[in-house]
Amino acid sequence: MIEFLKQPWAWYVAGPLIGLMVPALLILGNKTLGISSSLRHVCAACIPAKIPFFNYDWKKEAWNLVFVAGIILGAFIVATFLSNPNPVSINPKLVAELNGYGITDQHSLLPDQLFNWQQLFTVKGLFFMVFGGFLVGFGTRYAGGCTSGHAIMGLSNLQLPSLIATISFMAGGFLMANVILPFILKL
Amino acid sequence: MQTALIKPIHTNTDFEVRSLDVVDNQEPKKESILSYLKYLIMGLLFGIILVKSEVISWYRIQEMFRLQSFHMFGVIGSAVVTGIVSVWLIKKFNIKTIRGEKIQLPTKKFNKGQIYGGLIFGFGWAITGACPGPLFAQIGSGFSVIFITLLSAIAGTWLYGLLREKLPH
């Protein structure tokens, strides 16, 4: 059993389990799945700075912060007890492309050569870790949700704005990955 | 009362802060510490699924946007199908919460932020290889430097809040 759990899970196992988060949270407490709102609650709790957007009772939304704390804990449990002993399998085309950029160490879930503390203050490091994160935070709130809030929760409830947002996420991602990132990775 | 504070943009654009959207008397005044435990456990399960399905992997996201793997499309697609069926069943059989409350789902209104913000998030998703859930999961998996990415995402959210009135919606 443990050996089985250590393998990466197939999409048809993980996808339905993620989808079941939607009814589970609704039935457990009338909560809608959505992760990016936790970032807004952190702003409201720590640095509201009299900005109207952060002027609300974040404590009423504290469940969301507990939920993301659970995500950190769950990931820690996997890393400690259930991690895949084998290197992550990657499409050979992507491996070849990344090798061309000098990204050759591909054993873990993130390329260590791009995401590490030493890289942080290089141009590439600032771009991938700081600028990228900034766009995630700014964009998700501007869009009113992220992959979980719009693509999964919103689409589950057949919300057209969520479909528009999801299409925009994908369009932005395709553009960045295929058109802009190759130039950055060459730096 | 609190919604009135967000005045200059009259229409709501963010439907994820339930206490601002839903006026219900059934919501208990206080959730006990113990009742938060269920959200911790659900988050924990969500975190385990995110890591085990490798959706927190930068490589999986690159493969998705380069159309080099079906994995991410399969995960998201089957999650959505499961969610649609679940929500349909909840509505059809008028399923209540464990406390017996009626389940309420927000109706979202279109605004241009869903396009502009969506594109901006898409850029960030392809760069970091992570949406907000996976950011937390990457940190939990031991990629400590992603804490900086998370702080930057919080800064991005904060700047959006600051500039919100000036941005097209």
Side-chain angles (χ1 to χ4, degrees):
Chain A
M1 183 68 183
I2 292 291
E3 283 312 305
F4 172 76
L5 287 175
K6 280 186 173 182
Q7 301 301 313
W9 297 357
W11 63 266
Y12 48 81
V13 176
L17 288 174
I18 291 173
L20 286 175
M21 280 288 148
V22 169
L25 287 173
L26 286 171
I27 290 168
L28 281 175
N30 232 337
K31 308 298 185 201
T32 49
L33 179 67
I35 311 292
S36 63
S37 41
S38 65
L39 306 174
R40 183 177 172 188
H41 306 325
V42 171
C43 290
C46 303
I47 31 172
K50 296 195 174 127
I51 296 167
F53 191 64
F54 301 123
N55 197 340
Y56 61 91
D57 187 2
W58 62 272
K59 290 191 189 100
K60 284 186 180 168
E61 308 290 334
W63 77 272
N64 196 250
L65 298 171
V66 175
F67 187 75
V68 298
I71 294 179
I72 297 175
L73 205 60
F76 176 77
I77 289 171
V78 173
T80 312
F81 303 107
L82 296 172
S83 74
N84 180 12
N86 306 312
V88 53
S89 68
I90 307 167
N91 185 310
K93 276 189 212 152
L94 183 61
V95 173
E97 187 190 334
L98 292 174
N99 281 339
Y101 304 129
I103 299 167
T104 48
D105 182 359
Q106 291 153 353
H107 71 279
S108 65
L109 290 172
L110 274 76
D112 285 344
Q113 285 155 307
L114 281 178
F115 298 92
N116 68 59
W117 289 98
Q118 285 77 34
Q119 275 279 342
L120 191 55
F121 297 103
T122 65
V123 174
K124 252 194 212 176
L126 283 173
F127 183 84
F128 277 95
M129 290 174 271
V130 179
F131 182 64
F134 187 86
L135 294 183
V136 169
F138 191 95
T140 49
R141 206 70 268 122
Y142 196 174
C146 60
T147 328
S148 55
H150 271 313
I152 295 173
M153 182 64 232
L155 290 186
S156 295
N157 193 25
L158 307 175
Q159 296 293 302
L160 182 63
S162 290
L163 182 62
I164 293 167
T166 304
I167 291 169
S168 305
F169 300 163
M170 300 309 282
F174 273 97
L175 198 67
M176 175 57 70
N178 295 290
V179 181
I180 305 171
L181 271 193
F183 290 99
I184 307 291
L185 283 164
K186 270 181 213 151
L187 286 178
Chain B
M1 191 196 83
Q2 271 135 346
T3 34
L5 291 169
I6 307 171
K7 219 169 187 177
I9 293 177
H10 291 284
T11 49
N12 185 7
T13 57
D14 182 2
F15 303 92
E16 296 203 321
V17 181
R18 188 171 181 274
S19 56
L20 293 180
D21 300 335
V22 178
V23 184
D24 60 341
N25 308 320
Q26 288 176 310
E27 188 77 3
K29 295 280 179 291
K30 268 189 222 158
E31 296 236 37
S32 68
I33 295 292
L34 202 65
S35 80
Y36 280 115
L37 192 64
K38 57 183 187 263
Y39 302 119
L40 187 76
I41 293 166
M42 292 312 292
L44 192 146
L45 293 173
F46 195 53
I48 290 174
I49 302 164
L50 290 178
V51 182
K52 284 318 300 181
S53 61
E54 297 187 338
V55 304
I56 70 159
S57 169
W58 188 83
Y59 299 108
R60 292 280 163 275
I61 305 303
Q62 301 306 317
E63 286 172 347
M64 166 174 69
F65 287 135
R66 286 170 173 75
L67 300 177
Q68 290 169 337
S69 163
F70 177 73
H71 184 77
M72 286 300 303
F73 296 102
V75 170
I76 298 174
S78 58
V80 170
V81 171
T82 309
I84 288 174
V85 172
S86 307
V87 170
W88 180 79
L89 287 171
I90 285 174
K91 286 179 178 169
K92 167 121 178 140
F93 295 104
N94 194 19
I95 294 169
K96 301 272 197 295
T97 70
I98 50 172
R99 279 210 182 87
E101 300 163 20
K102 184 177 166 42
I103 287 176
Q104 284 171 305
L105 291 155
T107 306
K108 301 185 184 190
K109 271 204 201 108
F110 171 74
N111 74 80
K112 293 196 272 309
Q114 284 141 11
I115 297 174
Y116 301 136
L119 287 170
I120 294 170
F121 165 50
F123 295 155
W125 192 8
I127 296 171
T128 60
C131 33
L135 278 184
F136 291 105
Q138 288 175 349
I139 295 169
S141 303
F143 298 97
S144 57
V145 74
I146 302 303
F147 184 67
I148 301 296
T149 309
L150 178 66
L151 284 183
S152 193
I154 292 168
T157 302
W158 190 85
L159 193 73
Y160 166 73
L162 184 72
L163 301 177
R164 183 167 179 265
E165 321 297 343
K166 298 186 182 87
L167 296 167
H169 277 89

